[in-house]
Amino acid sequence: MTFDFRNTNSLWASVLVETLVRLGLNKAVICPGSRSTPLTVALVRHPQVEAIPVLDERSASFLALGLAKAACLPVVLVCTSGTAGANFYPALIEARESRVPLIVLTADRPPELRDCASGQTIDQQKLFGNFPNWYHELAVPQADISLLTYLRQTLVQAWTRSRLPIPGPVHLNCPFRDPLPPIADDSTHAIAPTLNPKTFFQHLSIPSTYASTPPLPHSPTPPLPLPPSPHGLIITGPAEPTHPLRYCQAIAHLCQSLGWPVLAEGLSPLRNYAALNPYLISTYDGILRNEDVAAQLKPEQVLQLGPLPTSKVLRQWLARVNPLRWVVDGGDRNLDTLHGSTMPITCAVEDFAAQFPQSNAETTPYARLWRSLDHQFRHQLDQTFQALSLPIESKLAWLLSRHLPENTPLLIANSMPVRDVEWFWQPNDRHIRPYFNRGANGIDGTLSTALGIAQHHKQAVLLTGDLALLHDTNGFLARSQLQGHLTIIVINNNGGGIFEMLPIAQFEPPFETFFATPQNIHFATLCHTYGVEHGLIKTWEQCIDWLNPLPQTGIRLLELQTNRKTDARWRQDI
C-alpha cells in the first residue's frame, strides 16, 4: 500500500494503518460513524486487512475480543466520537483481565470543538480509566514529516504495549478536523516528494516469530525445582494457551518428574489431551464433597499453574488445609484469592517445566489414591449420563466432550455452563479447544465473542444459557460478515439457572422476578427474525447427529428446553 495523498487526514490514516500492518495487523472491526471516516477508509482500502463492519459497538468490541483470542494477535477496533466508545468498556475490561491484545481507536473532535456544545462530543480522555495497558491521544493530523514519524513510532509503541509485558488493550484517541472524507485538496502536495514508503517503513520489517508469539516474561533468576514431597499436587485452572499441545506436554512432564497428580479444570486444554497424563484428575469437585475422603487427600505442597479452577468446593478445601502453594504464572497478577501460604513464581508454565529433569518419579500411594477415586467417580458419572434420557442440561457438557468433532473451538458461556463443564466434562483426546470470558466472568458479549472465534477457526460451537445469549442478540447483526460457521447450543430454562443453586432461591418474592428473570422468548421466532437456522433438540441422539459433521458456513441455533428447578435438584442429588 502506498501513501494516500488525497488530503491530510487520508495521509495520516494511511500511515497509521500501514504501520500496524507492517507490525502484524490483519483484522479490524469497524463501527459506522462520521468522525472516524479517515480510519475506516484507510483500513478498508488496505489489501492485507480484513475489515469487518458491525453496527452495535458493544457487539463489535466483543467480536474483536473473540478474533484476538483466536489469533493471539492484536485486532483494531474503531468507532466514532461521543458515547460510541463508551460501549466498548465491558470488552476492554474483559480484555485487560483475560490478557487479550486489542488496539482501540476512538475518533474524536479536535480540541477547539470540545467543551463548546459541539454535537456528539464527550470527554474521551482516558475514557476507559486504568484498564488499558496504555493510553495516548494522537496529535491532530498534519502533513508534516516530523509529525508523521511521531505517528509511526507511537503506533509501534501501541502495538508493543498491547502485547508486552502482558497482553491487553491499548486506547488511542484520534482527533480529526474536516474534511473527513478523502476529498482531494492541495494540503499534501509539498510533502509528497519527500515520502518514500520503502525507506519510511523499512525498519518495521520484524521477525515473523515476534509477529505471532511474543516472549513471555521471566523471573530475574530461574526458580529452583520444587523439593520432593510424597503428598504433592498440581492444580491447573482456566487456560487459553497459544499452543495447547505444548502447554499440555509441559504439564505432563511436570507430573512425571514430580510424581504428582494434576487436578485439571474443564476450561483447561488438559482434559482434551488426556492420553499425555495418566494421573489427570477431573472429578475433584465431587470427590472433595466427601469430608472423610477430603481429609485423607490433604496435600503438603501444591503447584498452582495459573488461576484456581472455578470449583468453590476445591477452593474451600484448599483454604481449610492451607498447604504450601507455589503459584506459577507468566504475568503480574496476584492469583492467590485464598490469601494462603503461597509463593509466586513469575514464569511461563512451559519454561518452568523445562527446568525439571526428564525422569519418571515413583508413583506415590497419595497419587494412586487420587487416581483410584477419580476412576470410581468418573465411572459412576458415565453410567448415570449413559442411562439418562431426560432433558437434563448437565448432560450437554458430558455429551460434547464425547462427540464434538476433533479440534473444535468451543466457547463456554459463564454461569452454569462453565460449572457443568468443570463438573462433568469427560477427559478425551479430541483436542477440543476451550475458550471463555473468565477475566471478569460476565455474560455480556457472549455471542459476539463466539462469532469472532468462528471467524478465525471457520467452525466453532457456543455452549450458553438463554440469558447470556439474549444479553447479546445484537451480535446476530454481524451474521452476514461471518466467513466460517457457528453452532449455538442454548440451554433454555427460561431464566438464570445458577440462581437456583443459591440461598436466595428460597425467598419468593422477589426470587423469580428479580433474580431468575425469565424472559419468555420464543427462540424459533428470534432466529427467524435474524435469518438464523433453528433446531429443537428432542433427543440426545438427535443432538449427536447435529454435531457430526458441523456445517461449513452460517449460524445455527440448537435449543434444549429444560426446567431449571428440576436441573438444580438433579445436580444436588448427584
Side-chain angles (χ1 to χ4, degrees), residues 79-353:
C79 72
T80 190
S81 62
T83 57
N87 291 285
F88 289 165
Y89 212 156
L92 256 78
I93 292 173
E94 179 61 34
R96 168 59 180 262
E97 297 300 322
S98 58
R99 304 175 178 179
V100 178
L102 291 178
I103 296 179
V104 178
L105 306 178
T106 54
D108 201 355
R109 305 272 175 160
E112 67 270 17
L113 292 181
R114 300 173 190 171
D115 296 320
C116 59
S118 179
Q120 203 169 314
T121 306
I122 65 170
D123 182 1
Q124 295 179 198
Q125 300 297 314
K126 294 202 170 184
L127 181 62
F128 308 110
N130 293 324
F131 286 102
N133 283 5
W134 188 58
Y135 167 78
H136 182 78
E137 177 169 62
L138 294 177
V140 177
Q142 293 185 41
D144 177 272
I145 188 65
S146 63
L147 279 174
L148 290 174
T149 55
Y150 142 81
L151 173 65
R152 178 194 62 197
Q153 294 313 115
T154 301
L155 268 294
V156 172
Q157 176 75 358
W159 181 268
T160 303
R161 293 290 294 272
S162 76
R163 308 180 74 229
L164 298 170
I166 306 297
V170 162
H171 175 207
L172 298 179
N173 200 48
C174 307
F176 290 102
R177 293 191 175 103
D178 289 331
L180 301 173
I183 299 170
D185 58 28
D186 60 0
S187 62
T188 63
H189 289 180
I191 197 176
T194 67
L195 281 176
N196 183 314
K198 184 176 180 180
T199 56
F200 190 83
F201 294 114
Q202 65 181 356
H203 68 291
L204 299 183
S205 299
I206 54 173
S208 60
T209 52
Y210 176 81
S212 59
T213 309
L216 289 166
H218 296 267
S219 297
T221 56
L224 295 174
L226 305 182
S229 172
H231 293 84
L233 194 60
I234 299 173
I235 297 177
T236 65
E240 294 174 323
T242 304
H243 302 288
L245 175 58
R246 192 183 306 168
Y247 175 83
C248 294
Q249 288 172 333
I251 296 175
H253 173 66
L254 276 173
C255 293
Q256 292 167 1
S257 298
L258 295 168
W260 295 0
V262 56
L263 276 53
E265 152 83 72
L267 301 183
S268 162
L270 261 67
R271 289 205 204 177
N272 304 307
Y273 291 81
L276 291 174
N277 200 320
Y279 283 89
L280 187 147
I281 309 300
S282 64
T283 61
Y284 50 85
D285 185 278
I287 291 170
L288 294 174
R289 290 173 188 264
N290 184 312
E291 293 184 5
D292 293 335
V293 172
Q296 296 178 52
L297 294 172
K298 177 181 177 179
E300 295 172 347
Q301 292 188 68
V302 168
L303 181 59
Q304 177 185 324
L305 307 179
L308 283 170
T310 306
S311 170
K312 186 176 181 179
V313 171
L314 174 64
R315 292 175 182 232
Q316 290 173 335
W317 176 69
L318 287 172
R320 192 164 60 248
V321 301
N322 192 25
L324 175 62
R325 224 170 352 123
W326 308 83
V327 182
V328 179
D329 184 65
D332 58 353
R333 296 177 296 178
N334 177 7
L335 296 180
D336 180 20
T337 58
L338 306 179
H339 307 303
S341 303
T342 58
M343 285 296 294
I345 299 175
T346 306
C347 185
V349 169
E350 294 88 340
D351 295 330
F352 178 75

Side-chain angles (χ1 to χ4, degrees), residues 463-484:
L463 176 62
T464 180
D466 55 319
L467 293 190
L469 182 65
L470 292 172
H471 203 271
D472 189 29
T473 52
N474 267 5
F476 283 127
L477 295 173
R479 71 195 183 284
S480 62
Q481 305 301 321
L482 179 63
Q483 295 182 9

Side-chain angles (χ1 to χ4, degrees), residues 266-484:
L267 301 183
S268 162
L270 261 67
R271 289 205 204 177
N272 304 307
Y273 291 81
L276 291 174
N277 200 320
Y279 283 89
L280 187 147
I281 309 300
S282 64
T283 61
Y284 50 85
D285 185 278
I287 291 170
L288 294 174
R289 290 173 188 264
N290 184 312
E291 293 184 5
D292 293 335
V293 172
Q296 296 178 52
L297 294 172
K298 177 181 177 179
E300 295 172 347
Q301 292 188 68
V302 168
L303 181 59
Q304 177 185 324
L305 307 179
L308 283 170
T310 306
S311 170
K312 186 176 181 179
V313 171
L314 174 64
R315 292 175 182 232
Q316 290 173 335
W317 176 69
L318 287 172
R320 192 164 60 248
V321 301
N322 192 25
L324 175 62
R325 224 170 352 123
W326 308 83
V327 182
V328 179
D329 184 65
D332 58 353
R333 296 177 296 178
N334 177 7
L335 296 180
D336 180 20
T337 58
L338 306 179
H339 307 303
S341 303
T342 58
M343 285 296 294
I345 299 175
T346 306
C347 185
V349 169
E350 294 88 340
D351 295 330
F352 178 75
Q355 299 174 70
F356 288 77
Q358 194 80 325
S359 62
N360 290 322
E362 183 180 349
T363 303
T364 64
Y366 179 74
R368 288 195 293 270
L369 176 59
W370 266 110
R371 185 166 68 170
S372 174
L373 291 167
D374 183 66
H375 283 185
Q376 293 176 47
F377 203 98
R378 174 58 60 186
H379 180 68
Q380 291 178 335
L381 280 179
D382 290 345
Q383 283 190 319
T384 300
F385 280 126
Q386 201 75 54
L388 183 65
S389 59
L390 297 174
I392 297 296
E393 61 190 58
S394 299
K395 184 169 179 174
L396 266 178
W398 179 81
L399 205 67
L400 290 174
S401 68
R402 293 165 62 92
H403 295 286
L404 268 184
E406 291 187 2
N407 301 303
T408 300
L410 170 69
L411 181 73
I412 303 152
N414 284 316
S415 296
M416 285 316 301
V418 294
R419 287 160 176 84
D420 280 344
V421 166
E422 181 173 34
W423 294 336
F424 306 124
W425 189 269
Q426 186 183 64
N428 61 78
D429 287 292
R430 309 180 76 82
H431 300 178
I432 295 160
R433 188 161 183 179
Y435 288 94
F436 42 86
N437 285 340
R438 294 298 286 171
N441 298 358
I443 64 169
D444 39 356
T446 301
L447 171 59
S448 297
T449 304
L451 287 168
I453 292 167
Q455 184 85 2
H456 177 76
H457 281 291
K458 305 309 178 188
Q459 289 173 300
V461 173
L462 166 63
L463 176 62
T464 180
D466 55 319
L467 293 190
L469 182 65
L470 292 172
H471 203 271
D472 189 29
T473 52
N474 267 5
F476 283 127
L477 295 173
R479 71 195 183 284
S480 62
Q481 305 301 321
L482 179 63
Q483 295 182 9

